[in-house]
Amino acid sequence: MTSKQDEEDISPPTEFVVLGSLEVRRGSVLIPVTGDLQRRVLVALLLEAGRVVPVSRLVMAAWDEDPPDSAEHQVRKTVAKLRGRIPGGPEIIVTDGPGYRAVVDAGQLDLLRHQKLLRQARESLDSGEAQQAAAQLREALALWRGPVLAGSGGRVVDAASTALEEQRLTAAEQLYELCIDAGEAAEITGELRLLVDEHPLRETLRSRLMLALYHSGQQAAALDEFTRVRDHLADELGIDPGVELTGLHERILRQDPSLARPGRAAPRVPQQVAKVPHALPFDVPDFSGRSSELRGICDAARRAPEGSPTVLALDGMGGGGKTALAIRAAHQLAEQYPNGSLFIDLHGFTPGQTPLSVFHAQGDLLAAAGIPSEEIPTVPAGRAARWQSYMRGRRMVLVLDNAAASEQVRALIPASSDSLVLITSRPRLTGLDGAEWLSVGALPELDSHQLLRNTLGVERVEREPDAARELLRLCGGLPLALRIAAARLANRPYWTVQRLVERLRDHDRRLDELTSEGRGVAGALLLSYQSMPPGQRTAFRLLGHHPGRYLDTEEAAALLDTDVLTAEDVLEELVDVRLLEAREPGVYALHDLVRSFVQRVAQDQREPEDGQAVRRLLDHYLNTAEAACDALFPGRRRFGNHEETGRAGTEFDHKDKALQWLDQHRDSLLAAVDTAYDGGLLWHAARLPRELGFHSSIRGYDASANIALEKGVSASQQLGDRSLTRLNLMNLAMGKWRLGQLREAVARLEEAVELSQLMEDVQSEAECRARLGQAYNSMGDLERALRLCQEANACAQELGFTRLDGSSLSTLSLIQVRLGQFEEAAQSAERAVLIFDSIKEIQLSVDALSNLSQAMEGLGRFEEALARADAALERCQRMNMPSVLPLVLARRADVLVRLGELEEAADSAGHALTKATSSTDDIHRATVHLSVGRVMYAQHDLDTAQAQQLLAHEIACRMELRYDEACALWGLARTAEAQGRTHVAEQHRSAAGDLFSLMNVPENAR
């Protein structure tokens, strides 16, 4: 009887294929590996077969950028799944030190076989066995099925794939040289040409093709190959072919005897073939990307019914590479259409030319097909009939490029033919019945990067990777822009990529920089603009006053002074002419370069109504932002009214909708403040920043919001409006407080208090005093903070200002906790929570619940403290508040330590630390480090505890957070004592005691 172990021993080994799409097999059985994460992790291990791959590198391979907090855990979980899925998985993927190692041999992995054959080929060459080396090289190359993971493996895998591709090309060059030496030139010209088309800038490959053609008796073709590459390099890069290629060209010209090879095949006279037209333009050799579009075109051609043409209309903005795509597809499909190929430029958008008429287009096509001029009718009806008669029954590729409208191409489409008709146009040709449409958008980043490498050269791109990435961003994935940028750099070898990037950063000059020899992005867009009817041009010009890249129908309605449905129709028309991109229902986007263009048009062609359009847009922003913040922050004071702006703001029936609107329009609102301030619209510049400050208190972008608030203060002062000045000063102060800029926050608040007193505005003064109490609490001046908050709370209750009543109580409770007044703190916090719940205020209730948790902890009621912390966390996550989340997680960790739940405490503290590190707000960072230190101390990880406490101490000292500084010293004392460093512990404890005494913090609150 055969044991299970014996069966495993005789079963076929698991095999892996990575050169191309990933395959895992055992015998004839295909083992599915599903999901990008599993595929990327497995391939990353196989690419380093036999070597340890750290978990950190597997994280990089799995997530190109911004891995989740749980990335390492997910990688380990993925490895466990792979071990369970792959036969013999635990023996194939083994844990080794800081990572994992794939244990496979050349019989199991195509990559190892490929590399082994290449080594053997080198050894054969060294031994003088050329024929055997050629066989080994060919066998190695046969294993190549394409880029690793078919080019979708992410940055790490793609980098390895690029290196393997370079290895493959070097081997191919070596193979073809051996074949030419062996007299097999004629046999390899076809495959060589395909490889040259894939890598047109590789001069060594090109030289092999020229030699193969020459030794096959095709001297003219070999010379033509040199002309093609020379013209291409001159047009695109501004350089000449290298010395080796130029020398080969000269030797072929004079039929240099040194070119003779042993066993060279005798030149042959090319066979005569039937005369069919081949009129396609030169296929751009460095064509990059568009793989999905090419597949779509090929699929459409394959499924076409017999007897009728396949019509594919490619549309997209000028400079997007539509023509290059159509020509590449036509060349790839040419063999399937034996009756030839034709191309015509219809000049729909050609500078200085009017679109070609149907009559002239038919004549040009017939002439290109070889019809003598005397046989081409001179009347429209006869010419149309002659064109249709010519195409009838033929199977051809027809490229109708640069069409202006459906009418221009409709009569050019064969009525009865199995031909493929590829049409390119800027607007979508919706008037073509039976056509399939394909929109050609911006190139993805990976394809853009490849195009840049092809046009500029790999070495120069890799020398400045960061600058190259920014160059791609500034060119916006537009092939025309990328090619012009690359050509400029190629013509200026002494320029760095960074220098061009710096020039392109100048928004006003960017379009000028992307112009060369009469062609450029601005010229391409200008033709689209000029082709629009006057009303559409006016609408497009007005959109140039929009401050952001994304806009919705309501913003457009405000700019165009119309209703939302009419505005949507206008925007859709601009989508049709490819000057706008439809993102989602009701939301549109301007390509970065189109945005530069339309802003230039708006500036150069400014009309009297433009100023009113900007005012209407700012009114819309102000009204809607105020309505959104009113929904999110109930009970806050209102300033102004809708009558002042002339339009009613959108009403939000749910907080989520209000927050979503603010999130979506944040960048536009920030830019709108600049527009208003720079344009002298001071009232809007003074009002809008307040809403940004409120929104930032949830989303944590205070550095940007504070810049807007600084302009709000200036605009208010220029208006002489004390009330608005006071309001902006107070909001600016809170933004600075969240960034830990406490002295500046206090200075602004004291200015605001002074203004309130001058205006005799008791309510405003109470608000400012409450915020001063918050700032002084952070600075450790607890007695002054306590007094200010008590005064503000008394005033709020007297005036019936509910929101201030709750917020002053919440701050008061935190101060009372620090002063050891836990019963009073619990009462204050509970009252604050009740107030906030009564007005449905979520954001401030999170702080109040956290403070209540601290009070409960001080009273020894740990379960209740955890319940309040959990409630705060739930509300914080519901509102997605990144500025407060680290503090709430740290609060929860502190209580869990008290309860002895150290594992859960460590998880919560670690999450808090991660979020604090990625947050822009600094005011809570010391508190988070203190919490992590407490957890580490409880887990007896004293070195980590000390490191966290030192970080907390450094932050607290820098920001003058006296209470946090004292807590850090207190924690350091405990840690030093546990480490046996008694003298150091005494020093820290004494310093902490001095600070606590200065703040009147009793023993029970330390």
Side-chain angles (χ1 to χ4, degrees), residues 212-220 264-270:
L213 290 168
Y214 178 74
H215 286 290
S216 302
Q218 303 179 59
Q219 181 181 359
R264 171 183 161 186
R268 297 196 302 257
V269 177

Side-chain angles (χ1 to χ4, degrees), residues 218-296:
Q218 303 179 59
Q219 181 181 359
L223 294 172
D224 184 57
E225 200 63 40
F226 179 81
T227 302
R228 290 174 66 190
V229 68
R230 182 190 61 197
D231 292 347
H232 171 67
L233 289 172
D235 290 344
E236 298 297 331
L237 302 180
I239 61 175
D240 293 324
V243 174
E244 181 183 348
L245 204 60
T246 303
L248 177 61
H249 173 250
E250 293 172 353
R251 291 160 66 201
I252 291 174
L253 271 174
R254 63 175 184 267
Q255 298 187 1
D256 193 323
S258 66
L259 291 176
R261 302 279 183 177
R264 171 183 161 186
R268 297 196 302 257
V269 177
Q271 296 180 352
Q272 294 295 320
V273 296
K275 186 177 181 180
V276 295
H278 293 289
L280 291 177
F282 179 53
D283 185 15
V284 179
D286 54 12
F287 183 92
S288 299
R290 303 297 188 201
S291 55
S292 62
E293 289 90 343
L294 282 169
R295 280 197 302 271

Side-chain angles (χ1 to χ4, degrees), residues 601-806:
V601 169
Q603 196 66 33
D604 293 345
Q605 302 178 19
R606 198 173 185 90
E607 298 289 342
E609 67 264 26
D610 290 16
Q612 290 302 316
V614 172
R615 284 179 180 273
R616 288 192 302 269
L617 179 63
L618 294 174
D619 288 345
H620 164 72
Y621 280 148
L622 181 56
N623 288 333
T624 312
E626 283 186 338
C629 287
D630 286 345
L632 284 169
F633 308 100
R636 71 179 195 144
R637 295 175 70 187
R638 290 299 306 269
F639 280 79
N641 53 61
H642 293 315
E643 286 69 32
E644 292 176 288
T645 56
R647 281 176 178 254
T650 301
E651 294 298 326
F652 294 94
D653 57 3
H654 198 281
K655 290 181 185 293
D656 289 346
K657 292 180 181 178
L659 188 54
Q660 182 183 34
W661 188 91
L662 288 167
D663 288 342
Q664 289 174 342
H665 294 80
R666 163 182 148 182
D667 291 339
S668 293
L669 292 171
L670 286 164
V673 174
D674 294 337
T675 297
Y677 188 82
D678 296 341
L681 301 173
L682 298 178
W683 189 77
H684 294 89
R687 289 280 301 276
L688 265 175
R690 181 199 188 205
E691 315 313 323
L692 289 162
F694 267 89
H695 182 230
S696 180
S697 69
I698 293 179
R699 288 296 190 245
Y701 58 94
D702 291 295
S704 300
N706 285 357
I707 294 172
L709 282 161
E710 294 275 12
K711 291 188 175 180
V713 171
S714 176
S716 304
Q717 290 171 336
Q718 291 179 59
L719 289 169
D721 190 322
R722 288 176 174 175
S723 180
L724 274 176
T725 303
R726 193 278 315 171
L727 180 68
N728 282 312
L729 282 169
M730 187 180 73
N731 286 315
L732 175 61
M734 297 320 296
K736 289 185 175 294
W737 173 80
R738 285 189 292 272
L739 293 176
Q741 299 167 6
L742 302 184
R743 292 288 176 187
E744 293 184 51
V746 168
R748 300 299 182 278
L749 286 169
E750 288 175 342
E751 286 183 62
V753 168
E754 185 178 345
L755 280 173
S756 300
Q757 292 170 340
L758 286 172
M759 294 185 292
E760 298 182 351
D761 185 342
V762 178
Q763 188 168 345
S764 294
E765 184 179 351
E767 272 192 289
C768 294
R769 289 189 178 281
R771 303 294 186 273
L772 270 172
Q774 191 172 346
Y776 281 123
N777 172 56
S778 297
M779 297 173 73
D781 194 343
L782 301 183
E783 295 295 340
R784 186 190 297 191
L786 183 71
R787 184 178 68 256
L788 286 165
C789 285
Q790 287 172 335
E791 291 172 356
N793 183 250
C795 186
Q797 291 186 35
E798 183 180 342
L799 296 171
F801 190 176
T802 307
R803 183 181 178 84
L804 180 59
D805 186 8

